Amino acid sequence: MKKKPSLKDIAERVGVSTALVSYVLNGKMKGRISKEVASRIKAVAKELNYHPNQIARSLKTNKTNSIGLLLADISNPFSSQIARIIENEADKLGYAVIIGSSDESIEKSEKIIDVFLNRQVDGLILSLPANSDHIVSDLKTRDIPFVLVDRYFPAIPTNTVAIDNYTASEDVVNHLLENKYKNIGVITYDTTLVHLNERLRGAIEQTKANCKIGKVRLGHIQEDVESAIESFLNTKSPIEAIFFTSNLLTISGLKYLNKQRVIIPDDLGIIAFDKTDAFDLFYTTITYVNQPLPLLGKEAVRLIHQAISDNKKKEQIFLSADLIIRESTSRK
Amino acid sequence: MKKKPSLKDIAERVGVSTALVSYVLNGKMKGRISKEVASRIKAVAKELNYHPNQIARSLKTNKTNSIGLLLADISNPFSSQIARIIENEADKLGYAVIIGSSDESIEKSEKIIDVFLNRQVDGLILSLPANSDHIVSDLKTRDIPFVLVDRYFPAIPTNTVAIDNYTASEDVVNHLLENKYKNIGVITYDTTLVHLNERLRGAIEQTKANCKIGKVRLGHIQEDVESAIESFLNTKSPIEAIFFTSNLLTISGLKYLNKQRVIIPDDLGIIAFDKTDAFDLFYTTITYVNQPLPLLGKEAVRLIHQAISDNKKKEQIFLSADLIIRESTSRK
DNA sequence: AATCTTTGTTTAAACGATTAAGCTTAGTGA
DNA sequence: TCACTAAGCTTAATCGTTTAAACAAAGATT
């Protein structure tokens, strides 16, 4: 890889100082540079195919125009869609995005954040694993600009963009009740993650605690989903509808229900939080909570941009998700 | 964001020069530094929570320890899985990964590569859109270390890691023929991308040109898949099995076949190139070509690492994919 | 005792940009 | 004609590292 041209190379060719070249190419000191010199500099820059060395610029300006994006699991479609949106939005503001995936590990999150910070990212957009409150507090103490997306920690006031999960869950339950599904089962993760527990809480409150709950351990999804469903159905008053609080849970559940020849929606109503391409292949269309991912990403980028220029104000944004009603909750 | 401690801060506290601090923390000049000073420096570094400024280091060493990863579409599970693997592998070698997604656009690819290079990434891992040969030649001319993954340009000898698509397709056809599916339809993209056309070529050669072909335009996937399937079936000698050359095509196809109440595998055999979670929700298990993504990613990182230290040798690696046989090709 | 090594450390330049401050030269006004 | 201003450009410091080269002091060698 041969050396790229620098300001100095241009300066030498034109016969001026590097300072002048810098001023011209950055459009500074407008009315004070002679037109001829300016155009010669620009011509030579183009001729040499000059691109400023962002590393050097960063060192001087203390801005890298990059943000670190930490996701829980980049191979989950939810994460990768967010990644795509954030990357696009960030690009519009001139930020490059460095992505890391924590696989729900606290240690890995800490490590990746360290890597981000060593590379002097201007700010962080984070979707943290459970029980990582200390990471949030720490970043806050260090006054590092960051925004939480999707997953949030209400106890710590900080920039946050998330879904109004509680209300979405209320809507889910209301829809089920309106459609005469009375006996409702909720399948969710066994976790301390607030956004998931809010989904559960919404269901509990709205059913006046009249719902059954199946908790699924991370790393044992298929296994635990199956036993939850079994316990829901093999009982005197079997469940009439199941509410899955995440896309992976839904997939596992539907897979199992397929195997058990449980017919949706005749035998059982189904409602999902978040959707996936996979629903397209199921024989029935699935009713689901649609999360406004584009807005989520857009707001996250807006907030981090704001935090980078001024980290005083903290905003907490909760976006409403809407229920997309399909056939899986329309029993005859 | 308060200023982070620098070498200078440590040097001042300990009362030595920054050079010595640098030597100690980098473990250089081993036997020449007094144990006491070394340990005092290390202690102070820890106390101040010192982390070297990678930007400054990069400027000096001309290495950023970062690689740019350009994908065709990060929201496609194929891409996001590769991203995850590459990120993990790269991390093991101390590289951070900056990700960009081109949405199959040549202009966007060029722009993202520019951004990567301005940020002085040490190398590039690329999955380029169709007709972007000139990008490859250009990078080659400029002697920039890069590796092509998945998508390749045989006319230009350069570092490449890809699947042996031709052989995989041969296997697909052989399997269908062995299972008495004689009349085969192939649904693929209308593209110049070699990896996809090799899948088609494998099918054509192995069927001795006795297969029907449906070409699908990017951006009109559902529409074109449907008309292709229709033309396959509404004919005197209808197709007995369909081979889809990509995951998105398969999903669109199965979705339509579901709607049309075509029963798999009784009415029609199905075989897919690449798998997705979505298959789990289909009533029948799907026979598919399994691509060795972990190996693909691992080799890509190995090659880029090699190219970064010495860009003379070019390797072309073709990995074999294997056929996972399920029920969708087992008619009674 | 003079010289040579070794050990432990410092000096200073460099990477490529930015930018405040300074320096010419020409033009203006009195 | 002299002082002043403005235009057009340069100087030089700086960001935080790395690293070759220089240096001083102590120990070994003759």
Side-chain angles (χ1 to χ4, degrees), chain B residues 199-214:
Chain B
R199 294 177 193 173
L200 178 58
R201 193 171 70 86
I204 293 176
E205 307 250 324
Q206 204 65 9
T207 58
K208 304 201 175 66
N210 260 326
C211 60
K212 289 203 178 150
I213 298 166

Side-chain angles (χ1 to χ4, degrees), chain B residues 203-246:
Chain B
I204 293 176
E205 307 250 324
Q206 204 65 9
T207 58
K208 304 201 175 66
N210 260 326
C211 60
K212 289 203 178 150
I213 298 166
K215 295 227 174 178
V216 172
R217 292 164 299 164
L218 251 173
H220 298 259
I221 298 185
Q222 193 61 38
E223 177 189 349
D224 289 0
V225 165
E226 296 191 0
S227 62
I229 294 179
E230 214 179 346
S231 76
F232 284 173
L233 299 178
N234 293 336
T235 163
K236 269 154 279 171
S237 56
I239 250 62
E240 295 164 287
I242 298 183
F243 169 31
F244 293 98
T245 65
S246 96

Side-chain angles (χ1 to χ4, degrees), chain A residues 86-259:
Chain A
I86 287 184
E87 206 227 310
N88 269 316
E89 289 298 319
D91 178 68
K92 289 185 196 161
L93 298 178
Y95 293 105
V97 178
I98 308 181
I99 300 187
S101 180
S102 73
D103 301 336
E104 304 287 358
S105 148
I106 297 179
E107 292 73 37
K108 209 161 170 215
S109 300
E110 289 170 330
K111 203 197 142 196
I112 291 173
I113 290 175
D114 256 13
V115 170
F116 285 166
L117 294 178
N118 291 347
R119 284 169 194 278
Q120 319 294 127
V121 295
D122 297 336
L124 302 168
I125 298 182
L126 308 171
S127 208
L128 291 169
N131 307 315
S132 51
D133 312 54
H134 64 283
I135 296 184
V136 181
S137 323
D138 180 50
L139 291 173
K140 214 183 154 184
T141 314
R142 292 160 71 190
D143 202 23
I144 290 166
F146 70 100
V147 175
L148 304 181
V149 271
D150 186 42
R151 295 156 175 223
Y152 50 103
F153 297 83
I156 315 172
T158 190
N159 286 310
T160 302
V161 188
I163 302 296
D164 179 353
N165 294 286
Y166 182 83
T167 305
S169 262
E170 280 189 334
D171 293 349
V172 163
V173 170
N174 286 339
H175 170 70
L176 290 174
L177 295 176
E178 280 162 17
N179 284 268
K180 311 277 183 277
Y181 293 99
K182 294 178 73 176
N183 217 348
I184 298 172
V186 182
I187 295 190
T188 189
Y189 286 106
D190 186 10
T191 177
T192 60
L193 284 169
V194 174
H195 74 297
L196 288 169
N197 287 330
E198 283 295 286
R199 294 177 193 173
L200 178 58
R201 194 171 68 87
I204 293 176
E205 306 252 323
Q206 204 63 11
T207 58
K208 306 201 172 67
N210 260 327
C211 59
K212 290 201 176 153
I213 298 166
K215 295 228 175 179
V216 173
R217 292 165 298 164
L218 250 174
H220 299 259
I221 297 186
Q222 192 61 39
E223 177 189 350
D224 290 359
V225 165
E226 295 190 1
S227 61
I229 293 179
E230 217 180 344
S231 76
F232 284 172
L233 299 179
N234 294 335
T235 164
K236 270 155 278 171
S237 57
I239 250 64
E240 296 164 287
I242 299 182
F243 169 32
F244 294 98
T245 66
S246 94
N247 55 7
L248 257 52
L249 294 177
T250 312
I251 291 181
S252 294
L254 291 179
K255 190 173 162 185
Y256 181 65
L257 292 168
N258 245 349
K259 220 183 340 180

Side-chain angles (χ1 to χ4, degrees), chain A residues 29-42:
Chain A
M29 315 220 75
K30 267 283 161 58
R32 298 195 55 174
I33 296 162
S34 74
K35 296 229 166 194
E36 307 89 64
V37 175
S39 63
R40 270 187 33 238
I41 288 175
K42 284 181 192 157

Side-chain angles (χ1 to χ4, degrees), chain B residues 268-302:
Chain B
L268 190 69
I270 292 291
I271 204 159
F273 211 109
D274 200 19
K275 70 172 160 185
T276 90
D277 274 354
F279 292 174
D280 285 344
L281 298 197
F282 199 66
Y283 56 87
T284 301
T285 54
I286 305 285
T287 298
Y288 64 92
V289 175
N290 185 42
Q291 308 192 64
L293 295 192
L295 193 52
L296 199 74
K298 209 170 254 188
E299 287 293 297
V301 172
R302 183 178 70 73

